[in-house]
Structures are given as structure tokens and as C-alpha cells.
Amino acid sequence: MDRFDAFTLSLHAISVASLLVFLFFTARYFLHMFQLNSYTAKVQWNWMRENKRRLIPQCIALVAAIACAFIRPHGGAYGYGLFALVCLALAVCCLPKKAKKPLVYTARLKRLLVTLSLLAALLLVLAVLLGGTGEFVLLGLTAPALPFLIPLANKINSPLERAVRNYYIRDAKKLLASCKNLKIIGITGSFGKTSVKYYLTHLLEVRYNTLMTPESYNTPMGVVKTIRTSLRATHEIFVCEMGAKYVGDIKELCDIVHPQRGIVTSIGEQHLESFGSVENIIKTKYELADALPEDGTLYVNLSSETIAKNPPPRAAVTYGLRPDADFYATDIEVDTGGTRFTLVHGDEKQRFSTKLIGEANVVNIVGAIAAACGYGIPLAELVPAVRTLRCVPHRMELLDRGDMAIIDDAFNSNPAGAAAALETLGRFDAVKIIVTPGMIELGDRSDALNAALGAKAAGVCDLIVAVGEKQAKPILRGAKEAGADKEKLCVAKTFDEAMQLVRAFDAKGRKKVVLLENDLPDNY
């Protein structure tokens, strides 16, 4: 072998290695999106269709490979060298950025990565064996093909994943069955379920050893993981949060845990993109009611307009702010120090205070109080527990920053929740500001509902900062149609840029109260 052949072979190896580096970062990014999209092929396809620009680096690799294929007959070394440089440059451009919710290398993801690697390796081996011009084309084709291979790899793994899933579910059911006296209460709703879960658990711990699903664990595998890793024989009550994006999701969770009691915190226009209609949302949330035993107890929020108009299919204990509810709050006072209210239940009245702010939090606390009373804890005994309730992070969390107070409601957003947050903001005697990227997963109603958010904000806020050009358009249009001054409307590309605008806004010596309404995940 002469020096030129050795040089060519070396560059050939370098070009393949460079491609592998680029493929690694490509796979990492699209696997991250697939994880955020709940490992659901349909959601991933929709995401890819709406984010075609994310495929530009991979398409550049294909174009570069085709160009190098033309160079090869005149100098194979130059073709391989140029392809290596292009792949390394693309790899640098695709280096992972800081994520709000980082990629988690779960056992499922590792299995998916193995299958994906085998599929990609098959293409690379075929390319090398093919040689010549065809090798370049196939090498280049591997990059844009990789995002499409991820759903295929998931499909190949589906029998194994189903078997693993069923094993874990059976194991969780055995553990629940071994706890004969364990009381289980399921909590679902379009919004408010996580807050009610935290509040109820805190109140129940006045008397009971209570386990709850942590953070936002509300999927079958999240619930199963909680049971398998945290449930002990000493636990007396299990508070189980139940999330849903499709009809049947709540039933699936109920079939695992079999709750004796349930709470429906709200029903509204959330996840319309996957549910398809409000009717499907109602049907799904009431799957919890259908799953309860005859002697079970259901609690529903009568302040939820949809629940009030569409009562559950069985008798329920009602709560909220309406005086016709079984448990209701009145005489509500809100300031930067917290909230005070009187709870009325029949002939009983009890004054409560909490550091939490807003009527939405009052409704959630009343729901937790109602359920805690159902377990035999009297109102008076709950007063100290309510006083020590802590805000769930990023859910109407009040943060005082001296000349600025922040209401952090950034976890998620929906029409009813956003309206409640704005109502709370409106109670403050201060310069009122909202920073929001708008609401997502609302399907065909997205534009209209974000415009309605802008209109509501126009009636409350002294400054509206919309984050992201795409979502900003309907928000600002709605605000303008509601009569907002153009000086009150701003657009920021990022959250950091939005906060710079907030800090620069002249409050004329008054305190600023800033509502952070929603924070879009990394796949938006």
C-alpha cells in the first residue's frame, strides 16, 4: 500500500468517525424530544412536522455527502476529508444546550438507544461495503434518517416494553394487595391536581402516615414506581395523582390502584390537541368517578364551570367558592402576606389563614380540607396545618424580591388557570406585569384562547410581555382588540430578555408585581 492509499484510508476512517460524532448529538437531541413527547410516535411525528428546521443540519450532511461523491473520482482523499470537516462542524452546531427538563437515561431509553444504534450501524456497514459513490450517499443519508429511525426502534422494542411494563404493574398490584388496610384516594383534574395532592397530604399527616406520588408523577409508570419504591406497610393513606392526555388514561390508573375515594379538581380546555374535544376531557376525568366502589366518596370542585354544568355520574361532596357547595370559602382577603378566608360546612364555620395567595389556591385548600374531614379530621384541628402549607413550586408561588414581587405560575397554563392567576394579580395595589409565552396543546382553539388570554391581561396589567414570536401574535392581538395601549405591549425572544424589559419598565416608584404565566418545555 503506497502513502496515498494509506492517507486516503486514514481520512476515510476519520470521516466515518466524524459522522459518528455528529450522529451521536443528533440521536441525543431527537431522543430527548421523543422522551418529552412521552415516547409516542404520533406526537413525535407531529412535532417533527412542526419543527422541520430542526432537520436542517442533517440535510446539510446529506448534501455534503452527495457533493463529496462527485469529488471522489478526482481525489478520494479530498472527498473524505471534506466530509469529515462538514460533520465535525455540524456536530459543534448541535452540541446540547442547557435544558429545562434534561434527558434522563432511564432503562427504557437505554434499550431504545441500543436498538437505534443497531439500525444506524446497519446503514453505516452497508455504506462501507457498498463503497464508491454509493458509500457517500448512504453515509450522508444516515443523518436525516436517524430521527425517523427513533419511532421505528420504539416500534421494534414495543413487545419488550409491554412485557416490562406489565411486570412492573403486576408487582405494584401485589404490593398494594399486601397492604390490606391502606386507604387510597385518587386525584385528577385539568389543573389543580398536584396542588391539591400536596395540600391534602400535608393535612392528612396531622393524623395519618401518608404516602403521595411525588412531584408530577401521574402516569401509570410514575405511579407504579412510587408504589414499588416508596410504599411501606406502615402507610395508612396513599394519595395518588392521576394525569391524562387521552380517553381511558384515568381508567388505566384506577385499574392499577383501585381508589376508594376520588377528587376531581377541575375540568377545562387543556390537552385539547390530544383529547380532541371538551366532551372527551369530561368523559376521561369522570372515569375516576366510575371506578369508585358503591360506598366510595367522590369530591368535585363546584367552582369549575364545566363540572357545575356537567355533574358527575354519581353523588358527590362538592367544594369551592359557591355557597351551594357542601364546603365553601367566603370572606376571602388576599395581600402579599398571604390569604385569609372563612370555611363554611353546614352549620360549622372556621377561619383559616395561609401564606399562599389567590382564590385558586383557596379553592384547592378547601378541596383538601373537605377530603381530610372525610377521613375524620375536624376543621379546628386543620387550622395549624393550613397555616403551615407551603406553595408547590411554580404554582402561584409568591417570591418577594424587594422592589419587585414575582408570582411564579410557570409550571403549566390553561385558560381557567391563567384567568385565576390574572384575577389574583389584579388584587395587588402595585404595577402589574405579566410575562407569558402563551398556552399550548390547545389544538384548533390555541389561537382563540391565547387571544382571550391577551384580552384578559389587557384589563389587569400595566405591561404585557409575550415571550416568543409565534405565541406572541394572538396574545398581542387579543390585548390590542381589548383596548390595550401599544406602549403596554412587548415581545421578547427569551425569558431572560423578557425580565430585562420588566426591570427596565418605569414603575414611577411603585412596587412591581410580575406574574410568570407558563414556561414552555424544551420541545416547544
Side-chain angles (χ1 to χ4, degrees), residues 11-33:
L11 284 178
H12 179 272
I14 291 171
S15 69
V16 173
S18 301
L19 176 63
L20 287 173
V21 172
F22 174 51
L23 291 179
F24 169 78
F25 289 119
T26 295
R28 189 187 185 284
Y29 175 74
F30 284 96
L31 282 169
H32 187 195
M33 296 304 103

Side-chain angles (χ1 to χ4, degrees), residues 256-273:
I256 295 172
V257 303
H258 299 290
Q260 300 98 14
R261 301 187 182 195
I263 304 175
V264 181
T265 63
S266 62
I267 298 177
E269 294 174 303
Q270 191 175 37
H271 301 310
L272 270 174
E273 198 167 77

Side-chain angles (χ1 to χ4, degrees), residues 431 505-510 512:
V431 172
F505 185 72
D506 184 9
K508 294 180 172 56
R510 300 175 68 202
K512 299 174 187 175

Side-chain angles (χ1 to χ4, degrees), residues 335-337 355 357 391 396-400 405-408 428:
D335 56 35
T336 53
K355 294 178 182 179
I357 60 167
C391 190
M396 293 301 291
E397 184 179 12
L398 182 62
L399 307 169
D400 201 322
I406 294 175
I407 303 174
D408 185 352
F428 286 88

Side-chain angles (χ1 to χ4, degrees), residues 464-505:
I464 299 171
V465 183
V467 183
E469 294 179 7
K470 182 180 177 182
Q471 296 294 119
K473 291 178 182 178
I475 295 170
L476 299 184
R477 188 183 71 249
K480 289 175 184 176
E481 290 174 354
D485 295 334
K486 290 183 179 179
E487 294 74 20
K488 293 173 59 176
L489 310 178
C490 297
V491 179
K493 291 182 179 179
T494 64
F495 174 77
D496 288 340
E497 184 180 318
M499 291 309 294
Q500 288 175 12
L501 292 171
V502 169
R503 282 188 284 269
F505 185 72

Side-chain angles (χ1 to χ4, degrees), residues 38-295:
S38 305
Y39 298 99
T40 306
K42 182 180 178 181
V43 178
Q44 183 79 350
W45 291 128
N46 289 338
W47 176 86
M48 288 173 65
R49 187 166 57 249
E50 293 174 3
N51 293 270
K52 299 183 185 72
R53 59 188 176 84
R54 307 285 186 179
L55 292 169
I56 290 175
Q58 290 72 37
C59 293
I60 290 174
L62 177 58
V63 172
I66 295 171
C68 291
F70 284 103
I71 295 173
R72 185 186 177 280
H74 307 288
Y78 300 116
Y80 290 126
L82 179 59
F83 187 59
L85 287 174
V86 171
C87 287
L88 287 175
L90 291 172
V92 171
C93 293
C94 294
L95 288 172
K97 298 176 178 61
K98 184 179 179 180
K100 298 169 188 173
K101 188 176 181 181
L103 177 67
V104 182
Y105 286 91
T106 61
R108 176 174 184 172
L109 188 81
K110 291 175 183 176
R111 290 191 292 268
L112 182 60
L113 189 55
V114 169
T115 305
L116 178 64
S117 299
L118 291 174
L119 291 174
L122 179 61
L123 281 177
L124 293 175
V125 169
L126 286 174
V128 173
L129 291 176
L130 188 62
T133 301
E135 176 187 6
F136 274 108
V137 175
L138 202 52
L139 283 174
L141 191 62
T142 306
L146 196 61
F148 297 90
L149 291 178
I150 291 173
L152 175 61
N154 187 62
K155 183 70 174 177
I156 292 170
N157 282 10
S158 59
L160 173 61
E161 297 303 331
R162 191 159 46 247
V164 171
R165 177 188 176 94
N166 290 339
Y167 168 78
Y168 287 145
I169 289 174
R170 286 195 299 271
D171 190 48
K173 286 182 174 180
K174 287 178 183 176
L175 288 169
L176 287 173
S178 67
C179 299
K180 302 294 184 183
N181 298 317
L182 182 69
K183 300 175 179 67
I184 302 172
I185 181 167
I187 303 177
T188 190
S190 297
F191 57 93
K193 54 186 176 291
T194 303
S195 295
V196 172
K197 174 186 69 177
Y198 273 89
Y199 302 162
L200 176 58
T201 300
H202 183 74
L203 300 188
L204 290 174
E205 286 175 341
V206 168
R207 285 195 180 184
Y208 300 100
N209 187 354
T210 307
L211 171 68
M212 72 172 183
T213 49
E215 300 173 5
S216 292
Y217 279 39
N218 57 26
T219 64
M221 287 301 98
V223 170
V224 164
K225 181 179 180 180
T226 302
I227 295 168
R228 296 182 69 245
T229 59
S230 302
L231 182 64
R232 300 290 180 266
T234 52
H235 284 125
E236 298 169 281
I237 300 178
F238 177 35
V239 181
C240 180
E241 181 180 343
M242 299 179 169
K245 285 190 175 182
Y246 300 92
V247 174
D249 283 357
I250 300 299
K251 182 181 184 303
E252 181 181 4
L253 285 160
C254 289
D255 287 343
I256 295 172
V257 303
H258 299 290
Q260 300 98 14
R261 301 187 182 195
I263 304 175
V264 181
T265 63
S266 62
I267 298 177
E269 294 174 303
Q270 191 175 37
H271 301 310
L272 270 174
E273 198 167 77
S274 53
F275 276 117
S277 68
V278 173
E279 288 71 27
N280 282 338
I281 299 175
I282 295 169
K283 177 182 178 182
T284 304
K285 299 307 177 185
Y286 284 158
E287 286 171 359
L288 175 56
D290 296 333
L292 298 180
E294 287 187 11
D295 60 347

